[in-house]
Amino acid sequence: PLPCECNGNQQIVYCSNKSLSELPPIQKSEGKWTFYLDDNRIEVIPDNYFSGVKVNFLSLENNDIHTIGENAFQGSEDSLNYLHLENNSMTELPNAIGKLRQLTAVSIQGNPMVDLTETWYETHQHSFCTFQLRFTDRVINNKQPDSGNSRWRL
């Protein structure tokens, strides 16, 4: 969709640095897609935005995202592997992330997170191989569940 560029052969959508304040319309497509929506002014990822498209890599860093709908990634629960949400305006981790069963890496550093509770990790840890957090006063990298007891190590 304009003003984005699409490489249908490689199933990649390039919408980086297009001064978008909202997500462009997308249409139902076959295959697994990569979306670059970084470096814009996007604030909200609404429910069902990716419905009809299976996404395997999603770059949303460097926007103003403060809200991600509970069902924003509906249809990509079993295909989305990598999610980049760095440098946005999120104050909490959206529940939509916990629905992504094949998510192996998510990056959220550079967001003004208020509370990252152990309960959230215990509830959603089944999806992650890598979970990166970066705070100004400390760094938590490659957060992984302890083997055998599903508890997270800091």
Side-chain angles (χ1 to χ4, degrees):
L2 292 175
C4 304
E5 299 169 23
C6 181
N7 182 329
N9 293 334
Q10 295 181 346
Q11 298 176 314
I12 301 174
V13 176
Y14 297 99
C15 293
S16 298
N17 203 21
K18 301 289 185 185
S19 298
L20 301 173
S21 58
E22 58 185 46
L23 293 166
I26 58 175
Q27 53 187 262
K28 186 175 182 175
S29 299
E30 296 295 319
K32 291 184 181 178
W33 288 80
T34 294
F35 279 81
Y36 291 97
L37 292 156
D38 51 291
D39 297 302
N40 286 292
R41 296 184 324 257
I42 298 166
E43 295 182 15
V44 175
I45 309 298
D47 279 340
N48 304 311
Y49 176 73
F50 293 100
S51 182
V53 177
K54 293 195 182 305
V55 180
N56 70 336
F57 179 96
L58 182 56
S59 174
L60 289 164
E61 69 261 24
N62 302 317
N63 278 287
D64 294 318
I65 298 169
H66 55 77
T67 303
I68 296 178
E70 179 100 14
N71 297 306
F73 307 116
Q74 187 170 350
S76 292
E77 297 93 343
D78 292 316
S79 63
L80 189 53
N81 299 121
Y82 301 96
L83 178 60
H84 292 270
L85 291 165
E86 302 98 317
N87 304 314
N88 278 288
S89 300
M90 296 185 308
T91 57
E92 62 185 12
L93 292 172
N95 287 329
I97 292 175
K99 295 181 179 185
L100 300 170
R101 293 181 287 270
Q102 297 302 313
L103 192 62
T104 56
V106 60
S107 294
I108 60 166
Q109 59 262 29
N111 282 280
M113 295 289 175
V114 174
D115 186 23
L116 298 175
T117 63
E118 188 76 17
T119 304
W120 194 95
Y121 295 119
E122 290 175 2
T123 303
H124 297 90
Q125 59 87 22
H126 66 278
S127 296
F128 306 119
C129 291
T130 301
F131 190 80
Q132 287 190 328
L133 305 175
R134 187 174 308 270
F135 299 96
T136 56
D137 60 341
R138 66 177 189 205
V139 176
I140 303 171
N141 279 326
N142 297 326
K143 188 166 180 47
Q144 299 175 347
D146 287 333
S147 58
N149 67 8
S150 297
R151 303 278 308 181
W152 284 91
R153 292 181 305 210
L154 292 179

